Amino acid sequence: MADLPKRDIENVEFIFEIMGSPGVGIDAVDLGDALRALNLNPTLAVIEKMGGTKKRNEKKITFEEFLPIYSQVKKDKDQGCYEDFIECLKLYDKAENGTMLLAELQHALLSLGEQLDDEQVESLFADCMDPEDDDGMIPYSQFIQRMMSDPVVFD
Amino acid sequence: MDAQCKLMPKLKIKLNVMGCLSAKPKPPDNTRTLRAALLIQRWYRRYRARTEIRRRYTWNIFTSLEYAGENDQVELYNFFNALLTHIPEAAAAHRPSVQRDSEISIDFNEDGEYRSDKNYDGPHLKFPLIKKDVVTLIDVFRKKKSDRLLAKYVGGILKEAAFKLKRLPNLNQASTAISKQITVIGDLHGKLDDLLVIFYKNGLPSVENPYIFNGDFVDRGKKGLEVFLLLLACFLAFPGAVHLNRGNHEDSVMNARYGFIREVQQKYRRNSEKLMLMIEEVYRWLPLGSIVNNRVLIVHGGISNTTDLDMIRSIDRGKYVSILRPPIEMAGEDGIDKTEWKQIFDIMWSDPQVGEGCKPNALRGAGTYFGPDVTKEFLAKYKLKFLVRSHECKPDGHEFTHNGQVITIFSASNYYAVGSNKGAYLKFGPQLDTQFVQYISAASKTSKLSIQQRVSIIESSALRELGARLRARRDVLEAEFAKLDPKQTGAVTVTQWSDTMERVTQMSLPWRLMRSRLAPQFTQAEPNLVNYLMTLELLDTDVIVQEAEASTSVTDALYKNKSSLEAIFHIIDKDNSGQISLEEFGEAIDLLRQYMPSAGTKAELLHMCQMMDINKDGFVDLNEFLEAFRLCDQARKHTQTSRSKSSRQSSTLVAELAEHLSIQKLTEVESDIDPRDHVSVVLSEKPKIKN
């Protein structure tokens, strides 16, 4: 891929080393995780469109097949930033004091959009959320900051 | 977004009215809510994926460190091998100075071995051991404040066990005919808590509940001696119900490096040498593998394309006190049969690979990588259904490979660091159907932590270990960096930094990814440059120095393994005069440097020989030889400590990096082991077959 910087290609090589088998590539079920590991943020719909599968051992994606997918997804600028989050979560901020009802957020994540399952919501809250106060409220700006903090720094 | 913003005031009113009335939360606006949910869900998945990557590369660091360490050990073996090949006369003339006395007396010096301020109130053992003794031992071993078992009882168990093991064939024959089931346990590596969880969940061994323990009982973990003694006690107390296989760590050369010898020395200061001799007696008589129902072969490492079960059955396994140190004692009589030796090496050290074929295991330096075709042919030849092996740590404690024909079972949970992996044991039913029980012991330590925290702890543990290995090569690193920076600017490019690190450590790791943990950028303006001086400074900080001191290098291991040193001495001393001349030593150095390039330049090593000649008579005798290694060891430690003192004023940036490596260190407060403190799950279906 002529348009991908050398650094990007090296990063893809590294991800393939960790997630894939030599000569074979990665399992298509891991396509989403591979893209996310490379700093992209596609929705499940996009991942499926790009060839991701829902079950293991159905399809493999080689390094050469992956590069154009990466290139394409990278072009999508709508990644969402801190301000977008705050905008959306203000909806839940009835008192306009930077806190929201935890239960409402939980409900939304479990039943709307590209739903998370119970385990994922639990671990998300355990990792990023302060415990709710007596009224069931939590401060959401810290929540967003923590979730967006990068566990992995690529050069 | 703008159109929606205008809607906001209306929405707010709506919310205020509705919100207080209903107990059940209702989403205020569908589109906005949907968008919010989608955004958070996307970001959460990304967060999870990147944490997973971090966990995986940390895993890579640990396994690389482990195998690189083993590789060093095997270099020692290769050195011995080379010496023997090139100096065959020495091998023939050699007579061991250490008499292997099979009638080692169990007179031990018990003074001061246990608390001197009160009398011994531990158990008194009588032989033959029975179930009650095993229960007593478990209770004594698991408590922090127990008196140490008297050395004479430790010796008693070892001696009895060696005696009984000697009668067994090379391959244990096991069967589910009576018991209708059998349990296979993988590497334990001194993790007494895991062994107690297993006995707690699965019961003590008996004729109805037989066990096979597949090697690697000691090293790395802190309770190797307790695990080893408990297994031997079970072997003695439950005849026929406990089968023990030898692993590559049931070897004093490995024990010198990986901590078991140090553990024995710490626990039995006055009697450690004698006890190690008795432990070696047990090692040499441990069977090499087990066969269940004539259908399943269980060995510690694996196989190769030359593995021959008939040859293995006929070997005199007692010759191989250490698998890494050639049985020179026998050299004069039968000569060293390398084919035979390779058979043993292969079953103890090999690993399965994805690709077909069979090639030498370069990562570990010993044994082979064997492919699915090798497995298929082997199992067909001997009419076997499975090959069960251990030797490799797996995140889930177990793994199927080679189309379900090879099962890896690893029973030490939290092996690399707390929370790093689960352990597992394997249960075969009467038709050899498989069931796995997966567990993590001391679960309370990690259960309250978030995933991010757990991964952070494991990651900083890996980086600390890596730091220790880097520190051992600090001089080389400094020299290599200096070559790339002739103008002494203090900076090299990221690529140069990564390449140098990889070259010096010989570890293929994601260096670019780890750069931020090991070296800050040179300046904000030049993100492509790395301040390598700070990398070196980081290696001198307390956190790394402590880690390095806790680990041992090849020379450390050499020194601590006195019998190895003696063996080397006798080989170099070609004319058997009891002394080595500078000339003889020179020849040996050439060989040594081929196999251990990190040992130093020829000039340095010759100088070492001259230094060894303490009485300056032009010759080095055995005592001077041993003393020299001890002095070298001390000198090396001294330079390291003095260097660390001088860089106490390390810059804030380096201090920050060091802080990050040590913050996550979980204080290991030793407490009584409670086997109930675990989480476990039983897996009945066949796990997904990984190839």
Side-chain angles (χ1 to χ4, degrees), chain B residues 663-685:
Chain B
I663 279 177
Q664 311 288 355
K665 204 170 177 177
L666 263 185
T667 37
E668 280 175 27
V669 179
E670 212 196 301
S671 53
D672 291 357
I673 295 178
D674 183 359
R676 294 168 301 177
D677 182 12
H678 71 273
V679 289
S680 70
V681 64
V682 178
L683 304 169
S684 296
E685 336 100 21

PDB file of all heavy atoms in Angstrom, chain B residues 663-685:
ATOM      1  N   ILE B 663       5.326   0.959  41.084  1.00  0.00           N
ATOM      2  CA  ILE B 663       4.033   1.268  41.708  1.00  0.00           C
ATOM      3  C   ILE B 663       3.149   0.042  41.794  1.00  0.00           C
ATOM      4  O   ILE B 663       2.465  -0.207  42.759  1.00  0.00           O
ATOM      5  CB  ILE B 663       3.256   2.340  40.896  1.00  0.00           C
ATOM      6  CG1 ILE B 663       3.767   3.730  41.227  1.00  0.00           C
ATOM      7  CG2 ILE B 663       1.767   2.295  41.225  1.00  0.00           C
ATOM      8  CD1 ILE B 663       3.107   4.815  40.422  1.00  0.00           C
ATOM      9  N   GLN B 664       3.185  -0.736  40.736  1.00  0.00           N
ATOM     10  CA  GLN B 664       2.214  -1.811  40.641  1.00  0.00           C
ATOM     11  C   GLN B 664       2.619  -3.067  41.397  1.00  0.00           C
ATOM     12  O   GLN B 664       1.932  -4.051  41.361  1.00  0.00           O
ATOM     13  CB  GLN B 664       2.001  -2.173  39.160  1.00  0.00           C
ATOM     14  CG  GLN B 664       1.753  -0.988  38.270  1.00  0.00           C
ATOM     15  CD  GLN B 664       0.389  -0.395  38.484  1.00  0.00           C
ATOM     16  OE1 GLN B 664      -0.404  -0.918  39.233  1.00  0.00           O
ATOM     17  NE2 GLN B 664       0.131   0.723  37.835  1.00  0.00           N
ATOM     18  N   LYS B 665       3.769  -2.997  42.073  1.00  0.00           N
ATOM     19  CA  LYS B 665       4.223  -4.225  42.718  1.00  0.00           C
ATOM     20  C   LYS B 665       3.294  -4.554  43.883  1.00  0.00           C
ATOM     21  O   LYS B 665       3.225  -3.860  44.864  1.00  0.00           O
ATOM     22  CB  LYS B 665       5.652  -4.001  43.230  1.00  0.00           C
ATOM     23  CG  LYS B 665       6.456  -5.253  43.392  1.00  0.00           C
ATOM     24  CD  LYS B 665       7.918  -4.890  43.663  1.00  0.00           C
ATOM     25  CE  LYS B 665       8.741  -6.125  43.911  1.00  0.00           C
ATOM     26  NZ  LYS B 665      10.154  -5.856  44.110  1.00  0.00           N
ATOM     27  N   LEU B 666       2.574  -5.632  43.779  1.00  0.00           N
ATOM     28  CA  LEU B 666       1.674  -6.052  44.847  1.00  0.00           C
ATOM     29  C   LEU B 666       2.512  -6.527  46.011  1.00  0.00           C
ATOM     30  O   LEU B 666       3.339  -7.409  45.857  1.00  0.00           O
ATOM     31  CB  LEU B 666       0.809  -7.214  44.388  1.00  0.00           C
ATOM     32  CG  LEU B 666      -0.601  -6.939  43.870  1.00  0.00           C
ATOM     33  CD1 LEU B 666      -1.281  -8.254  43.596  1.00  0.00           C
ATOM     34  CD2 LEU B 666      -1.389  -6.118  44.841  1.00  0.00           C
ATOM     35  N   THR B 667       2.299  -5.941  47.162  1.00  0.00           N
ATOM     36  CA  THR B 667       3.086  -6.396  48.307  1.00  0.00           C
ATOM     37  C   THR B 667       2.673  -7.815  48.631  1.00  0.00           C
ATOM     38  O   THR B 667       1.514  -8.089  48.885  1.00  0.00           O
ATOM     39  CB  THR B 667       2.836  -5.513  49.535  1.00  0.00           C
ATOM     40  OG1 THR B 667       1.460  -5.158  49.523  1.00  0.00           O
ATOM     41  CG2 THR B 667       3.683  -4.262  49.500  1.00  0.00           C
ATOM     42  N   GLU B 668       3.632  -8.722  48.573  1.00  0.00           N
ATOM     43  CA  GLU B 668       3.288 -10.106  48.825  1.00  0.00           C
ATOM     44  C   GLU B 668       3.409 -10.393  50.303  1.00  0.00           C
ATOM     45  O   GLU B 668       4.458 -10.778  50.796  1.00  0.00           O
ATOM     46  CB  GLU B 668       4.184 -11.022  48.007  1.00  0.00           C
ATOM     47  CG  GLU B 668       3.680 -11.105  46.581  1.00  0.00           C
ATOM     48  CD  GLU B 668       4.599 -11.909  45.686  1.00  0.00           C
ATOM     49  OE1 GLU B 668       5.303 -12.790  46.194  1.00  0.00           O
ATOM     50  OE2 GLU B 668       4.621 -11.633  44.484  1.00  0.00           O
ATOM     51  N   VAL B 669       2.321 -10.158  50.987  1.00  0.00           N
ATOM     52  CA  VAL B 669       2.304 -10.457  52.412  1.00  0.00           C
ATOM     53  C   VAL B 669       2.047 -11.946  52.546  1.00  0.00           C
ATOM     54  O   VAL B 669       1.019 -12.457  52.101  1.00  0.00           O
ATOM     55  CB  VAL B 669       1.173  -9.673  53.109  1.00  0.00           C
ATOM     56  CG1 VAL B 669       1.157 -10.011  54.573  1.00  0.00           C
ATOM     57  CG2 VAL B 669       1.363  -8.189  52.902  1.00  0.00           C
ATOM     58  N   GLU B 670       2.989 -12.630  53.138  1.00  0.00           N
ATOM     59  CA  GLU B 670       2.814 -14.070  53.229  1.00  0.00           C
ATOM     60  C   GLU B 670       1.831 -14.383  54.328  1.00  0.00           C
ATOM     61  O   GLU B 670       1.935 -13.865  55.438  1.00  0.00           O
ATOM     62  CB  GLU B 670       4.151 -14.749  53.502  1.00  0.00           C
ATOM     63  CG  GLU B 670       4.224 -16.119  52.860  1.00  0.00           C
ATOM     64  CD  GLU B 670       5.349 -16.957  53.427  1.00  0.00           C
ATOM     65  OE1 GLU B 670       6.496 -16.505  53.336  1.00  0.00           O
ATOM     66  OE2 GLU B 670       5.067 -18.035  53.982  1.00  0.00           O
ATOM     67  N   SER B 671       0.885 -15.205  53.991  1.00  0.00           N
ATOM     68  CA  SER B 671      -0.069 -15.621  55.001  1.00  0.00           C
ATOM     69  C   SER B 671      -0.252 -17.117  54.856  1.00  0.00           C
ATOM     70  O   SER B 671       0.288 -17.735  53.951  1.00  0.00           O
ATOM     71  CB  SER B 671      -1.391 -14.889  54.782  1.00  0.00           C
ATOM     72  OG  SER B 671      -1.805 -15.085  53.452  1.00  0.00           O
ATOM     73  N   ASP B 672      -1.042 -17.697  55.761  1.00  0.00           N
ATOM     74  CA  ASP B 672      -1.339 -19.116  55.636  1.00  0.00           C
ATOM     75  C   ASP B 672      -2.018 -19.359  54.298  1.00  0.00           C
ATOM     76  O   ASP B 672      -2.780 -18.528  53.825  1.00  0.00           O
ATOM     77  CB  ASP B 672      -2.296 -19.561  56.740  1.00  0.00           C
ATOM     78  CG  ASP B 672      -1.635 -19.527  58.111  1.00  0.00           C
ATOM     79  OD1 ASP B 672      -0.426 -19.211  58.174  1.00  0.00           O
ATOM     80  OD2 ASP B 672      -2.329 -19.791  59.097  1.00  0.00           O
ATOM     81  N   ILE B 673      -1.763 -20.512  53.720  1.00  0.00           N
ATOM     82  CA  ILE B 673      -2.436 -20.848  52.469  1.00  0.00           C
ATOM     83  C   ILE B 673      -3.824 -21.384  52.796  1.00  0.00           C
ATOM     84  O   ILE B 673      -3.980 -22.275  53.625  1.00  0.00           O
ATOM     85  CB  ILE B 673      -1.641 -21.915  51.693  1.00  0.00           C
ATOM     86  CG1 ILE B 673      -0.295 -21.335  51.263  1.00  0.00           C
ATOM     87  CG2 ILE B 673      -2.420 -22.380  50.473  1.00  0.00           C
ATOM     88  CD1 ILE B 673       0.582 -22.335  50.540  1.00  0.00           C
ATOM     89  N   ASP B 674      -4.820 -20.834  52.166  1.00  0.00           N
ATOM     90  CA  ASP B 674      -6.167 -21.337  52.344  1.00  0.00           C
ATOM     91  C   ASP B 674      -6.654 -21.853  50.999  1.00  0.00           C
ATOM     92  O   ASP B 674      -6.964 -21.066  50.097  1.00  0.00           O
ATOM     93  CB  ASP B 674      -7.080 -20.213  52.839  1.00  0.00           C
ATOM     94  CG  ASP B 674      -8.489 -20.700  53.110  1.00  0.00           C
ATOM     95  OD1 ASP B 674      -8.761 -21.904  52.892  1.00  0.00           O
ATOM     96  OD2 ASP B 674      -9.319 -19.879  53.524  1.00  0.00           O
ATOM     97  N   PRO B 675      -6.737 -23.183  50.839  1.00  0.00           N
ATOM     98  CA  PRO B 675      -7.137 -23.723  49.538  1.00  0.00           C
ATOM     99  C   PRO B 675      -8.550 -23.329  49.130  1.00  0.00           C
ATOM    100  O   PRO B 675      -8.912 -23.446  47.969  1.00  0.00           O
ATOM    101  CB  PRO B 675      -7.011 -25.242  49.707  1.00  0.00           C
ATOM    102  CG  PRO B 675      -6.955 -25.484  51.163  1.00  0.00           C
ATOM    103  CD  PRO B 675      -6.415 -24.261  51.803  1.00  0.00           C
ATOM    104  N   ARG B 676      -9.333 -22.815  50.071  1.00  0.00           N
ATOM    105  CA  ARG B 676     -10.663 -22.387  49.675  1.00  0.00           C
ATOM    106  C   ARG B 676     -10.618 -21.065  48.916  1.00  0.00           C
ATOM    107  O   ARG B 676     -11.574 -20.693  48.247  1.00  0.00           O
ATOM    108  CB  ARG B 676     -11.552 -22.237  50.911  1.00  0.00           C
ATOM    109  CG  ARG B 676     -11.841 -23.560  51.621  1.00  0.00           C
ATOM    110  CD  ARG B 676     -12.457 -23.330  52.974  1.00  0.00           C
ATOM    111  NE  ARG B 676     -11.582 -22.534  53.815  1.00  0.00           N
ATOM    112  CZ  ARG B 676     -11.900 -22.141  55.042  1.00  0.00           C
ATOM    113  NH1 ARG B 676     -13.058 -22.468  55.559  1.00  0.00           N
ATOM    114  NH2 ARG B 676     -11.051 -21.422  55.745  1.00  0.00           N
ATOM    115  N   ASP B 677      -9.514 -20.327  49.037  1.00  0.00           N
ATOM    116  CA  ASP B 677      -9.389 -19.033  48.377  1.00  0.00           C
ATOM    117  C   ASP B 677      -8.998 -19.247  46.919  1.00  0.00           C
ATOM    118  O   ASP B 677      -7.844 -19.115  46.537  1.00  0.00           O
ATOM    119  CB  ASP B 677      -8.340 -18.183  49.097  1.00  0.00           C
ATOM    120  CG  ASP B 677      -8.203 -16.800  48.488  1.00  0.00           C
ATOM    121  OD1 ASP B 677      -9.061 -16.416  47.666  1.00  0.00           O
ATOM    122  OD2 ASP B 677      -7.230 -16.096  48.823  1.00  0.00           O
ATOM    123  N   HIS B 678      -9.974 -19.612  46.130  1.00  0.00           N
ATOM    124  CA  HIS B 678      -9.705 -19.806  44.711  1.00  0.00           C
ATOM    125  C   HIS B 678     -10.992 -19.604  43.936  1.00  0.00           C
ATOM    126  O   HIS B 678     -12.079 -19.597  44.505  1.00  0.00           O
ATOM    127  CB  HIS B 678      -9.176 -21.231  44.448  1.00  0.00           C
ATOM    128  CG  HIS B 678     -10.226 -22.298  44.604  1.00  0.00           C
ATOM    129  ND1 HIS B 678     -10.518 -22.894  45.809  1.00  0.00           N
ATOM    130  CD2 HIS B 678     -11.060 -22.867  43.696  1.00  0.00           C
ATOM    131  CE1 HIS B 678     -11.483 -23.767  45.651  1.00  0.00           C
ATOM    132  NE2 HIS B 678     -11.830 -23.785  44.392  1.00  0.00           N
ATOM    133  N   VAL B 679     -10.896 -19.414  42.638  1.00  0.00           N
ATOM    134  CA  VAL B 679     -12.070 -19.485  41.769  1.00  0.00           C
ATOM    135  C   VAL B 679     -11.788 -20.574  40.753  1.00  0.00           C
ATOM    136  O   VAL B 679     -10.638 -20.762  40.332  1.00  0.00           O
ATOM    137  CB  VAL B 679     -12.354 -18.152  41.043  1.00  0.00           C
ATOM    138  CG1 VAL B 679     -12.859 -17.116  42.011  1.00  0.00           C
ATOM    139  CG2 VAL B 679     -11.136 -17.641  40.326  1.00  0.00           C
ATOM    140  N   SER B 680     -12.809 -21.308  40.390  1.00  0.00           N
ATOM    141  CA  SER B 680     -12.572 -22.394  39.440  1.00  0.00           C
ATOM    142  C   SER B 680     -13.791 -22.619  38.581  1.00  0.00           C
ATOM    143  O   SER B 680     -14.887 -22.166  38.870  1.00  0.00           O
ATOM    144  CB  SER B 680     -12.221 -23.684  40.181  1.00  0.00           C
ATOM    145  OG  SER B 680     -13.350 -24.178  40.848  1.00  0.00           O
ATOM    146  N   VAL B 681     -13.559 -23.300  37.462  1.00  0.00           N
ATOM    147  CA  VAL B 681     -14.667 -23.661  36.589  1.00  0.00           C
ATOM    148  C   VAL B 681     -14.341 -24.997  35.950  1.00  0.00           C
ATOM    149  O   VAL B 681     -13.181 -25.302  35.664  1.00  0.00           O
ATOM    150  CB  VAL B 681     -14.884 -22.550  35.524  1.00  0.00           C
ATOM    151  CG1 VAL B 681     -13.680 -22.420  34.611  1.00  0.00           C
ATOM    152  CG2 VAL B 681     -16.127 -22.825  34.706  1.00  0.00           C
ATOM    153  N   VAL B 682     -15.378 -25.820  35.747  1.00  0.00           N
ATOM    154  CA  VAL B 682     -15.186 -27.130  35.133  1.00  0.00           C
ATOM    155  C   VAL B 682     -15.584 -27.041  33.676  1.00  0.00           C
ATOM    156  O   VAL B 682     -16.658 -26.556  33.339  1.00  0.00           O
ATOM    157  CB  VAL B 682     -16.060 -28.200  35.824  1.00  0.00           C
ATOM    158  CG1 VAL B 682     -15.879 -29.540  35.151  1.00  0.00           C
ATOM    159  CG2 VAL B 682     -15.700 -28.294  37.298  1.00  0.00           C
ATOM    160  N   LEU B 683     -14.702 -27.461  32.777  1.00  0.00           N
ATOM    161  CA  LEU B 683     -15.003 -27.426  31.353  1.00  0.00           C
ATOM    162  C   LEU B 683     -15.207 -28.839  30.847  1.00  0.00           C
ATOM    163  O   LEU B 683     -14.264 -29.620  30.797  1.00  0.00           O
ATOM    164  CB  LEU B 683     -13.839 -26.761  30.597  1.00  0.00           C
ATOM    165  CG  LEU B 683     -13.479 -25.354  31.077  1.00  0.00           C
ATOM    166  CD1 LEU B 683     -12.160 -24.914  30.460  1.00  0.00           C
ATOM    167  CD2 LEU B 683     -14.575 -24.374  30.719  1.00  0.00           C
ATOM    168  N   SER B 684     -16.430 -29.144  30.474  1.00  0.00           N
ATOM    169  CA  SER B 684     -16.690 -30.513  30.029  1.00  0.00           C
ATOM    170  C   SER B 684     -16.530 -30.693  28.544  1.00  0.00           C
ATOM    171  O   SER B 684     -16.025 -31.683  28.074  1.00  0.00           O
ATOM    172  CB  SER B 684     -18.103 -30.937  30.417  1.00  0.00           C
ATOM    173  OG  SER B 684     -18.201 -30.963  31.807  1.00  0.00           O
ATOM    174  N   GLU B 685     -16.992 -29.669  27.774  1.00  0.00           N
ATOM    175  CA  GLU B 685     -16.899 -29.872  26.327  1.00  0.00           C
ATOM    176  C   GLU B 685     -15.457 -29.714  25.916  1.00  0.00           C
ATOM    177  O   GLU B 685     -14.677 -29.075  26.565  1.00  0.00           O
ATOM    178  CB  GLU B 685     -17.743 -28.851  25.559  1.00  0.00           C
ATOM    179  CG  GLU B 685     -18.880 -28.250  26.320  1.00  0.00           C
ATOM    180  CD  GLU B 685     -18.532 -26.866  26.841  1.00  0.00           C
ATOM    181  OE1 GLU B 685     -17.601 -26.235  26.282  1.00  0.00           O
ATOM    182  OE2 GLU B 685     -19.157 -26.418  27.803  1.00  0.00           O
TER     183      GLU B 685
END
